[in-house]
Short mmCIF file of all heavy atoms in Angstrom, two decimals:
data_model
loop_
_atom_site.label_atom_id
_atom_site.label_comp_id
_atom_site.label_asym_id
_atom_site.label_seq_id
_atom_site.Cartn_x
_atom_site.Cartn_y
_atom_site.Cartn_z
N ASN A 75 32.78 18.27 -9.82
CA ASN A 75 33.49 17.12 -10.40
C ASN A 75 34.18 16.31 -9.32
O ASN A 75 35.05 15.51 -9.65
CB ASN A 75 34.50 17.54 -11.48
CG ASN A 75 33.83 17.90 -12.79
OD1 ASN A 75 32.69 18.35 -12.82
ND2 ASN A 75 34.50 17.66 -13.91
N GLU A 78 30.15 14.63 -6.96
CA GLU A 78 28.99 14.34 -7.82
C GLU A 78 29.40 13.49 -9.04
O GLU A 78 28.56 13.19 -9.89
CB GLU A 78 28.25 15.61 -8.25
CG GLU A 78 28.67 16.26 -9.54
CD GLU A 78 29.95 17.07 -9.41
OE1 GLU A 78 30.67 16.92 -8.42
OE2 GLU A 78 30.24 17.86 -10.34
N TRP A 85 36.08 11.36 -11.99
CA TRP A 85 36.27 12.44 -12.95
C TRP A 85 37.59 13.16 -12.67
O TRP A 85 37.78 14.35 -12.97
CB TRP A 85 35.11 13.43 -12.91
CG TRP A 85 33.83 12.82 -13.51
CD1 TRP A 85 33.70 11.68 -14.22
CD2 TRP A 85 32.52 13.37 -13.39
NE1 TRP A 85 32.39 11.46 -14.59
CE2 TRP A 85 31.64 12.49 -14.08
CE3 TRP A 85 31.97 14.52 -12.77
CZ2 TRP A 85 30.27 12.71 -14.18
CZ3 TRP A 85 30.62 14.76 -12.90
CH2 TRP A 85 29.75 13.86 -13.58
N ARG A 106 29.67 25.50 -2.43
CA ARG A 106 28.53 24.60 -2.77
C ARG A 106 29.17 23.22 -3.01
O ARG A 106 30.12 23.12 -3.81
CB ARG A 106 27.80 25.13 -4.00
CG ARG A 106 26.59 24.29 -4.42
CD ARG A 106 25.78 25.05 -5.46
NE ARG A 106 24.68 24.31 -6.03
CZ ARG A 106 24.71 23.68 -7.21
NH1 ARG A 106 25.81 23.71 -7.93
NH2 ARG A 106 23.64 23.06 -7.66
N PRO A 108 28.36 19.74 -4.37
CA PRO A 108 27.47 18.80 -5.15
C PRO A 108 27.79 17.37 -4.79
O PRO A 108 28.98 16.97 -4.80
CB PRO A 108 27.80 19.09 -6.60
CG PRO A 108 28.65 20.36 -6.63
CD PRO A 108 29.33 20.36 -5.29
N HIS A 150 22.85 15.88 -6.33
CA HIS A 150 23.24 16.16 -7.73
C HIS A 150 23.21 14.85 -8.50
O HIS A 150 23.59 13.77 -7.99
CB HIS A 150 24.67 16.66 -7.66
CG HIS A 150 25.06 17.73 -8.65
ND1 HIS A 150 25.02 19.05 -8.35
CD2 HIS A 150 25.54 17.63 -9.92
CE1 HIS A 150 25.44 19.76 -9.39
NE2 HIS A 150 25.74 18.91 -10.36
N HIS A 151 22.78 14.91 -9.75
CA HIS A 151 22.93 13.77 -10.66
C HIS A 151 22.32 12.48 -10.21
O HIS A 151 22.91 11.40 -10.33
CB HIS A 151 24.40 13.53 -10.99
CG HIS A 151 25.05 14.56 -11.84
ND1 HIS A 151 24.40 15.30 -12.76
CD2 HIS A 151 26.34 14.95 -11.96
CE1 HIS A 151 25.26 16.12 -13.39
NE2 HIS A 151 26.44 15.92 -12.89
N ARG A 153 20.40 10.63 -11.85
CA ARG A 153 20.03 10.73 -13.29
C ARG A 153 18.62 10.21 -13.52
O ARG A 153 17.86 10.83 -14.27
CB ARG A 153 21.03 9.92 -14.10
CG ARG A 153 22.40 10.45 -14.08
CD ARG A 153 22.68 11.28 -15.32
NE ARG A 153 24.07 11.61 -15.45
CZ ARG A 153 24.52 12.85 -15.73
NH1 ARG A 153 23.69 13.86 -15.84
NH2 ARG A 153 25.79 13.07 -15.88
N ASN A 200 19.75 19.48 -7.66
CA ASN A 200 20.38 20.24 -8.69
C ASN A 200 19.64 20.10 -10.03
O ASN A 200 19.36 18.98 -10.45
CB ASN A 200 21.82 19.75 -8.89
CG ASN A 200 22.52 20.44 -10.06
OD1 ASN A 200 22.78 21.65 -9.98
ND2 ASN A 200 22.82 19.70 -11.11
N GLU A 201 19.31 21.19 -10.66
CA GLU A 201 18.86 21.27 -12.02
C GLU A 201 17.75 20.22 -12.40
O GLU A 201 17.95 19.38 -13.30
CB GLU A 201 20.05 21.11 -12.98
CG GLU A 201 21.02 22.26 -12.79
CD GLU A 201 22.14 22.31 -13.84
OE1 GLU A 201 22.34 21.32 -14.56
OE2 GLU A 201 22.82 23.32 -13.92
N TRP A 238 16.54 22.84 -15.61
CA TRP A 238 17.94 23.00 -15.17
C TRP A 238 18.12 24.27 -14.36
O TRP A 238 19.10 25.01 -14.54
CB TRP A 238 18.89 22.98 -16.35
CG TRP A 238 19.05 21.64 -17.01
CD1 TRP A 238 19.97 20.68 -16.70
CD2 TRP A 238 18.30 21.09 -18.08
NE1 TRP A 238 19.82 19.55 -17.53
CE2 TRP A 238 18.80 19.80 -18.36
CE3 TRP A 238 17.20 21.56 -18.83
CZ2 TRP A 238 18.27 19.00 -19.38
CZ3 TRP A 238 16.68 20.74 -19.84
CH2 TRP A 238 17.22 19.48 -20.09
N HIS A 260 20.55 28.90 -12.10
CA HIS A 260 21.87 28.75 -12.74
C HIS A 260 21.83 29.60 -14.00
O HIS A 260 20.78 29.79 -14.63
CB HIS A 260 22.15 27.30 -13.10
CG HIS A 260 22.33 26.45 -11.86
ND1 HIS A 260 22.51 25.09 -11.94
CD2 HIS A 260 22.35 26.73 -10.55
CE1 HIS A 260 22.65 24.59 -10.71
NE2 HIS A 260 22.52 25.60 -9.83
N TYR A 262 24.16 30.05 -17.56
CA TYR A 262 25.31 29.81 -18.44
C TYR A 262 25.15 30.59 -19.75
O TYR A 262 25.76 30.19 -20.75
CB TYR A 262 25.49 28.30 -18.67
CG TYR A 262 26.05 27.58 -17.49
CD1 TYR A 262 25.25 26.78 -16.67
CD2 TYR A 262 27.42 27.67 -17.19
CE1 TYR A 262 25.81 26.12 -15.59
CE2 TYR A 262 27.96 27.00 -16.09
CZ TYR A 262 27.18 26.20 -15.30
OH TYR A 262 27.69 25.56 -14.22
N PHE A 265 25.17 30.57 -23.88
CA PHE A 265 25.56 29.14 -23.84
C PHE A 265 26.56 28.76 -24.90
O PHE A 265 27.44 27.93 -24.69
CB PHE A 265 24.28 28.30 -23.94
CG PHE A 265 24.48 26.87 -23.51
CD1 PHE A 265 24.52 26.54 -22.15
CD2 PHE A 265 24.56 25.85 -24.42
CE1 PHE A 265 24.72 25.22 -21.70
CE2 PHE A 265 24.74 24.51 -24.01
CZ PHE A 265 24.81 24.22 -22.65
N HIS A 269 29.77 27.07 -23.20
CA HIS A 269 29.84 25.62 -23.39
C HIS A 269 30.48 25.22 -24.71
O HIS A 269 30.29 24.08 -25.18
CB HIS A 269 28.47 25.00 -23.17
CG HIS A 269 28.14 24.80 -21.72
ND1 HIS A 269 27.91 25.83 -20.87
CD2 HIS A 269 28.04 23.66 -20.97
CE1 HIS A 269 27.68 25.38 -19.64
NE2 HIS A 269 27.74 24.03 -19.68
N ALA A 272 32.33 21.79 -25.11
CA ALA A 272 32.01 20.93 -23.94
C ALA A 272 31.53 19.53 -24.46
O ALA A 272 30.59 19.45 -25.20
CB ALA A 272 30.93 21.56 -23.08
N TRP A 274 30.05 17.11 -23.08
CA TRP A 274 28.80 16.53 -22.61
C TRP A 274 27.58 17.24 -23.24
O TRP A 274 26.44 16.91 -22.94
CB TRP A 274 28.70 16.62 -21.07
CG TRP A 274 28.73 17.99 -20.49
CD1 TRP A 274 27.69 18.75 -20.13
CD2 TRP A 274 29.90 18.79 -20.26
NE1 TRP A 274 28.08 19.99 -19.69
CE2 TRP A 274 29.45 20.02 -19.72
CE3 TRP A 274 31.27 18.59 -20.43
CZ2 TRP A 274 30.34 21.03 -19.36
CZ3 TRP A 274 32.17 19.60 -20.06
CH2 TRP A 274 31.71 20.79 -19.54
N VAL A 275 27.84 18.21 -24.14
CA VAL A 275 26.71 18.87 -24.82
C VAL A 275 26.65 18.25 -26.24
O VAL A 275 27.69 18.10 -26.93
CB VAL A 275 26.98 20.38 -24.92
CG1 VAL A 275 25.91 21.05 -25.77
CG2 VAL A 275 27.03 21.01 -23.52
N GLU A 316 25.28 28.47 -10.03
CA GLU A 316 26.26 28.07 -10.99
C GLU A 316 26.36 29.13 -12.12
O GLU A 316 25.30 29.55 -12.64
CB GLU A 316 25.92 26.72 -11.64
CG GLU A 316 26.06 25.53 -10.73
CD GLU A 316 25.88 24.19 -11.47
OE1 GLU A 316 25.97 24.16 -12.73
OE2 GLU A 316 25.63 23.17 -10.80
N GLY A 318 29.75 30.02 -15.24
CA GLY A 318 31.16 29.82 -15.55
C GLY A 318 31.30 29.56 -17.03
O GLY A 318 30.33 29.37 -17.75
N TYR A 320 33.63 27.28 -19.82
CA TYR A 320 34.48 26.06 -19.94
C TYR A 320 35.82 26.44 -20.50
O TYR A 320 35.98 27.42 -21.24
CB TYR A 320 33.75 25.04 -20.79
CG TYR A 320 34.38 23.67 -20.81
CD1 TYR A 320 34.75 23.01 -19.66
CD2 TYR A 320 34.54 23.02 -22.04
CE1 TYR A 320 35.30 21.74 -19.72
CE2 TYR A 320 35.06 21.71 -22.11
CZ TYR A 320 35.47 21.08 -20.91
OH TYR A 320 36.00 19.83 -20.97
N TRP A 349 30.97 28.12 -10.86
CA TRP A 349 31.19 26.72 -11.29
C TRP A 349 32.51 26.71 -12.03
O TRP A 349 32.56 27.23 -13.13
CB TRP A 349 30.08 26.21 -12.20
CG TRP A 349 30.26 24.74 -12.52
CD1 TRP A 349 30.85 24.22 -13.60
CD2 TRP A 349 29.84 23.62 -11.71
NE1 TRP A 349 30.87 22.85 -13.50
CE2 TRP A 349 30.22 22.47 -12.39
CE3 TRP A 349 29.16 23.51 -10.50
CZ2 TRP A 349 29.99 21.19 -11.86
CZ3 TRP A 349 28.91 22.28 -10.00
CH2 TRP A 349 29.31 21.10 -10.67
N GLU A 350 33.61 26.18 -11.48
CA GLU A 350 33.81 25.46 -10.29
C GLU A 350 35.26 25.62 -9.89
O GLU A 350 36.00 26.35 -10.51
CB GLU A 350 33.42 23.98 -10.45
CG GLU A 350 33.66 23.25 -11.77
CD GLU A 350 35.10 23.05 -12.25
OE1 GLU A 350 36.00 22.84 -11.40
OE2 GLU A 350 35.33 23.09 -13.46
N PHE A 355 36.27 24.16 -15.60
CA PHE A 355 35.93 25.58 -15.50
C PHE A 355 36.81 26.23 -14.43
O PHE A 355 36.64 27.40 -14.11
CB PHE A 355 34.46 25.78 -15.07
CG PHE A 355 33.39 25.34 -16.02
CD1 PHE A 355 33.22 23.98 -16.34
CD2 PHE A 355 32.55 26.23 -16.61
CE1 PHE A 355 32.22 23.55 -17.18
CE2 PHE A 355 31.56 25.83 -17.51
CZ PHE A 355 31.38 24.48 -17.77
C1 BGC B 401 26.70 19.86 -14.02
C2 BGC B 401 28.12 19.68 -14.48
C3 BGC B 401 28.42 20.58 -15.65
C4 BGC B 401 28.03 21.97 -15.35
C5 BGC B 401 28.20 22.87 -16.52
C6 BGC B 401 26.51 21.25 -13.73
O1 BGC B 401 25.26 21.42 -13.15
O2 BGC B 401 26.48 19.09 -12.89
O3 BGC B 401 28.38 18.34 -14.76
O4 BGC B 401 29.80 20.58 -15.85
O5 BGC B 401 26.68 22.04 -14.92
O6 BGC B 401 27.55 22.34 -17.65
#
Side-chain angles (χ1 to χ4, degrees):
N75 283 30
E78 91 282 15
W85 290 347
R106 180 169 176 262
H150 215 95
H151 288 333
R153 296 261 191 227
N200 177 67
E201 299 187 346
W238 289 270
H260 294 176
Y262 286 104
F265 197 75
H269 278 67
W274 62 97
V275 174
E316 289 188 17
Y320 190 46
W349 186 266
E350 35 66 34
F355 295 67

